[in-house]
Amino acid sequence: MADKAQADILYTKVDEAPELASASFLPIIRAFASAAGVTVGTKDISLAGRILATFPENLTPEQRISDDLAELGQLVKTPDANVIKLPNVSASMPQLDAAIAELQAQGYDIPSYPTNPSNDAEKAIQARYDAIKGSAVNPVLREGNSDRRAAKAVKNFAQANPHRMGKWESTSKTHVSSMPGNDFYANEKSATLTAAQAGAAKIEFVGKDGAVTVLKDGWKLTEGEVVDATFMSAKALSAFLAQEIENTKKDGILFSLHMKATMMKVSDPIIFGHAVKAWLAPVFDKHGAALKAAGVNPNSGLGDVLAKIAAMPNGAEIQAEIDALNATRPPMYMVNSDKGITNLHVPSDVIIDASMPALIRAGGKGWGPDGNEGDTNCVIPDNCYAPVYDEAINFFKANGALNPATAGTVQNLGLMAQKAEEYGSHPTTFEAAADGTIRVVLANGETLHSHDVEAGDIWRACTAKKAPIENWIQLSIDRQRLTGFRSIFWLDANRAHDAELIKYVKPALEAAGVADKFEIMAPREATAASLETITKGEDTIAITGNVLRDYLTDLFPILELGTSAKMLSIVGLMNGGGLFETGAGGSAPKHVQQFVEEGHLRWDSMGEFCALGESLNFLADVKGNAKAGVLGRAAEAATQGILDDNRSPSRKVGEPDNRDSHYWFARYWADALASQSDDADLAAHFAPIAKALADGEAAILSELAAAQGTAIDLGGYYNTDPAKTAAAMRPSATLNAIIG
């Protein structure tokens, strides 16, 4: 149950490895903060929590929980917001199904997801669940634009202790493949609304017979809002995927598909399903009707397809055909070679902003079914952002791998407030049910955008509002003035949406007298320019839209630092509050698997450490709480201590893990507080704590080490048992007694 009273700082309850780490770290935060009169509450935005909050009528009074995401959504629109947000699960359909099944097994009487609803009640249940899928959290909380960068201490440590990079060869066959046309990029239309065009718009489908179906009504659009619409041709996509499978086989390399079926929860699972069907095309051609009758949905991935086929009366026969077909296909990029989990097994297993940087860092190598590394065909169908990865691969083929010891840094300022761009498109994305036209009709009756589509085409609309765009530009001007770094707006004048943004950017820069301080480049050219800049040891700021913000703040940190989990991510909320994000969670499932199997959690809480210091400093500034400022500065010193003394978690069981890093953070934090001269009361309070943590070092580390090496029962995956989790994550009685 989340805290009821409004706390000074709200710490989010999430999922997987970040939530396990919270069980160890949050008690430390609360104990230290209380000495300064700072309260730290929690709000549950986990997948399980969101599911339970959606169906209160199905639960007993004891099982019901508040809708914390909705509460946070209101809070972030106020000046009082001070939220530390950890990475949460953006659920794909298989993840949602798994979470529902787990909760049902735990005694929660929630409905199953109706894949093919047959009545209004089932349609209503499906709609409620669909609102939970994908990026249901971030668009609600991000009422400001993004400022993401490596903290100076983190960057310095990475240069002094460079991570291992794979070797790039100029002869590498690794490359990016994208559609030759008829994708979202090619078909995009965009316009900036006038006052006369604002109001409640509609999205309509007009059939060949002239019949009109309203796909969305009451779509509120405002003056100055940039409104886009586009579609991807299903026929063109299928033909492209079939061709790339053949091209991969000819090249003798691995086939891989890189999507974001979590954030893009409507469009990308459909694209993923097309890839599954393309891979199994002869099987679907022969058994399509039977597979459909058996509930086979390729959008859920190859793993789900194979499981449902196994339950069919002729499942063995179909499986034999699949095995024979696979023998003729190119080898596939694997998620887990040992367990036979392929790139196409689960839509959420291969997430582009994590998978592509990892492959690039490894010298263009992916893992094949034989357990060996190999060159890879990286299939990214749409051309909006694929050129970033294509150019990065080309750059490293020509220049060799980046040297983390000497590389400069790429900071990012991202336009994301108020559901900007594609990540806000879920309610306005549709798969065409038949041939016809999909159009945007404005409140004044004008048709703003119109596309002729065929059955199966994926059509979407998205927007960026005026105030967030203007705030984003001003944020960029302020950051460039502060740093003097090379500053590039990643905008493609040949892309319809970007061309509209450029109409905002250029006049604003000229009005501020800083047009000569900025460059505007398409993503491909900006990628090359940024890599050239950091290769020389210099720094740059990437000023981007929402999706590129997401992609680049994994790509460059993974190359520079070896991870994106250590990024400092500050969201200056537009109404005055602060949202402090703690890095990416793409690796979290693997960390949980290791922890459950052998009691070692290698999740690195560096992102949490950085966010904590920023949150406390923000609290000191906006609330005039001097003691919070002392805590914040001491937390920064503790973060530096973790880096200087290499106290971050190791990867292997038997070595220090996440829990050890929390002990060291608490010790460094207490030391810094005990020795500071700004607040005598805090110094006196923390002096005995610092001494106890130092004196107890041997006992604490021994107790933490003894907790490793055995399997862990958490009582669940999506909805873990709090008592079991606390016992697993706080195994040192000595440390617990000191912290209280």
Side-chain angles (χ1 to χ4, degrees), residues 276-337:
V276 172
K277 288 187 70 174
W279 189 266
L280 298 179
V283 175
F284 274 92
D285 289 344
K286 181 178 178 181
H287 302 283
L291 293 174
K292 185 176 181 180
V296 170
N297 181 5
N299 295 8
S300 294
L302 185 59
D304 186 70
V305 169
L306 296 178
K308 285 189 166 61
I309 287 174
M312 294 172 65
N314 61 337
E317 171 195 338
I318 298 176
Q319 183 61 56
E321 293 178 19
I322 292 174
D323 293 341
L325 176 62
N326 283 337
T328 71
R329 295 302 198 194
M332 201 187 302
Y333 171 101
M334 303 294 287
V335 170
N336 190 319
S337 302

Side-chain angles (χ1 to χ4, degrees), residues 357-445:
L359 183 143
I360 293 170
R361 183 185 61 187
K365 303 294 185 182
W367 292 102
D370 59 0
N372 295 317
E373 289 183 310
D375 291 347
T376 307
N377 181 6
C378 304
V379 176
I380 307 173
D382 182 55
N383 284 276
C384 286
Y385 307 109
V388 170
Y389 299 114
D390 185 49
E391 188 61 33
I393 287 171
N394 292 340
F395 183 89
F396 292 125
K397 282 183 185 180
N399 299 284
L402 187 73
N403 182 358
T406 60
T409 191
V410 178
Q411 300 184 352
N412 181 270
L413 298 175
L415 171 62
M416 69 176 191
Q418 299 179 4
K419 304 179 182 180
E421 303 185 332
E422 295 97 326
Y423 282 171
S425 68
H426 316 308
T428 52
T429 300
F430 305 95
E431 188 174 23
D435 295 356
T437 300
I438 299 181
R439 64 192 185 189
V440 176
V441 181
L442 299 176
N444 64 4

Side-chain angles (χ1 to χ4, degrees), residues 97-338:
D97 277 336
I100 294 169
E102 179 178 308
L103 289 168
Q104 290 171 335
Q106 291 175 343
Y108 295 95
D109 186 25
I110 55 174
S112 297
Y113 182 90
T115 303
N116 298 300
S118 58
N119 54 52
D120 289 343
E122 289 186 348
K123 289 178 182 178
I125 292 170
Q126 184 187 60
R128 291 164 79 177
Y129 272 130
D130 284 347
I132 298 171
K133 287 193 303 185
S135 58
V137 171
N138 290 336
V140 174
L141 300 186
R142 288 171 171 168
E143 281 290 319
N145 291 311
S146 171
D147 179 353
R148 282 188 175 182
R149 56 189 186 274
K152 189 64 176 175
V154 173
K155 181 63 177 177
N156 290 344
F157 178 82
Q159 290 180 320
N161 303 272
H163 61 276
R164 184 178 64 86
M165 297 283 281
K167 185 178 181 181
W168 273 97
E169 303 284 356
S170 60
T171 55
S172 170
K173 293 183 179 180
T174 293
H175 63 280
V176 170
S177 297
S178 300
M179 293 173 66
N182 225 351
D183 59 351
F184 292 130
Y185 177 89
N187 293 325
E188 188 173 69
K189 299 177 181 179
S190 184
T192 302
L193 296 192
T194 65
Q197 294 174 312
K202 296 180 182 179
I203 300 174
E204 297 178 338
F205 173 79
V206 184
K208 290 293 187 181
D209 59 357
V212 177
T213 301
V214 177
L215 301 177
K216 186 172 183 64
D217 202 356
W219 187 28
K220 295 180 181 178
L221 301 176
T222 57
E223 180 184 0
E225 192 162 359
V226 176
V227 181
D228 310 331
T230 187
F231 77 97
M232 176 180 283
S233 163
K235 286 183 180 177
L237 172 63
S238 296
F240 162 73
L241 290 167
Q243 185 61 56
E244 285 310 315
I245 292 171
E246 292 304 312
N247 290 344
T248 307
K249 184 177 180 180
K250 291 176 185 176
D251 289 340
I253 59 178
L254 304 176
F255 176 88
S256 65
L257 176 72
H258 301 264
M259 305 298 302
K260 188 133 187 178
T262 50
M263 295 293 279
M264 300 304 298
K265 64 182 179 182
V266 179
S267 60
D268 282 22
I270 297 172
I271 297 171
F272 191 91
H274 277 280
V276 172
K277 288 187 70 174
W279 189 266
L280 298 179
V283 175
F284 274 92
D285 289 344
K286 181 178 178 181
H287 302 283
L291 293 174
K292 185 176 181 180
V296 170
N297 181 5
N299 295 8
S300 294
L302 185 59
D304 186 70
V305 169
L306 296 178
K308 285 189 166 61
I309 287 174
M312 294 172 65
N314 61 337
E317 171 195 338
I318 298 176
Q319 183 61 56
E321 293 178 19
I322 292 174
D323 293 341
L325 176 62
N326 283 337
T328 71
R329 295 302 198 194
M332 201 187 302
Y333 171 101
M334 303 294 287
V335 170
N336 190 319
S337 302
D338 294 336

Side-chain angles (χ1 to χ4, degrees), residues 717-733:
Y717 183 89
Y718 294 100
N719 191 45
T720 58
D721 181 277
K724 291 181 177 180
T725 303
M729 290 305 301
R730 303 189 70 198
S732 170

Side-chain angles (χ1 to χ4, degrees), residues 192 226 466 469-470 472-474 477 489 491 498-516 518-520:
T192 302
V226 176
K466 180 179 181 179
I469 296 171
E470 293 176 336
W472 170 64
I473 298 169
Q474 186 59 52
I477 293 172
F489 280 91
L491 297 172
D498 288 7
E500 293 301 307
L501 286 186
I502 290 171
K503 294 176 184 177
Y504 270 105
V505 170
K506 284 187 173 181
L509 296 180
E510 291 168 359
V514 294
D516 60 330
F518 292 86
E519 301 166 81
I520 298 175

